[in-house]
Amino acid sequence: MAKRLIEVFTAGCSVCEGTVQQVKDLACSNCEVVVYDLNKKCDTLECEAKAKAYGVKSVPAVAINGKLVDCCSNGGINIDKLKAAGLGQ
């Protein structure tokens, strides 16, 4: 089975860190979790480009396999929607 790419966009705040920990706790062996701290930026500007391409408007936000999870496009994380999108499977 192919790895599932889980991308977490944060601002390095305590709320974001809680979400990062939840995602990591729920991730399975087929999940590759990548965390992008938008405050620190990326040397390659990859994180900013991905955030823009995915339509990230607030953080924390999670994309699974290149698609922003529905709950993350409206300003909030919903664990059940993350699981339905493939997190931890």
Side-chain angles (χ1 to χ4, degrees):
M1 180 183 283
K3 285 267 189 193
R4 182 172 289 108
L5 178 60
I6 314 295
E7 296 169 293
V8 185
F9 296 88
T10 78
C13 67
S14 61
V15 172
C16 293
E17 291 307 314
T19 298
V20 169
Q21 191 58 54
Q22 276 189 303
V23 168
K24 286 181 176 180
D25 289 346
L26 290 169
C28 65
S29 60
N30 285 326
C31 295
E32 177 186 351
V33 178
V34 178
V35 178
Y36 297 115
D37 184 337
L38 299 176
N39 273 341
K40 292 183 180 175
K41 305 205 179 208
C42 304
D43 293 337
T44 63
L45 300 180
E46 174 188 24
C47 54
E48 292 93 340
K50 284 189 174 203
K52 184 176 180 179
Y54 295 161
V56 173
K57 302 216 183 312
S58 64
V59 292
V62 179
I64 298 179
N65 287 337
K67 183 176 183 232
L68 189 64
V69 179
D70 289 341
C71 65
C72 301
S73 60
N74 293 320
I77 296 291
N78 181 303
I79 294 300
D80 291 329
K81 288 189 178 189
L82 292 177
K83 287 180 182 178
L87 176 62
Q89 298 177 15

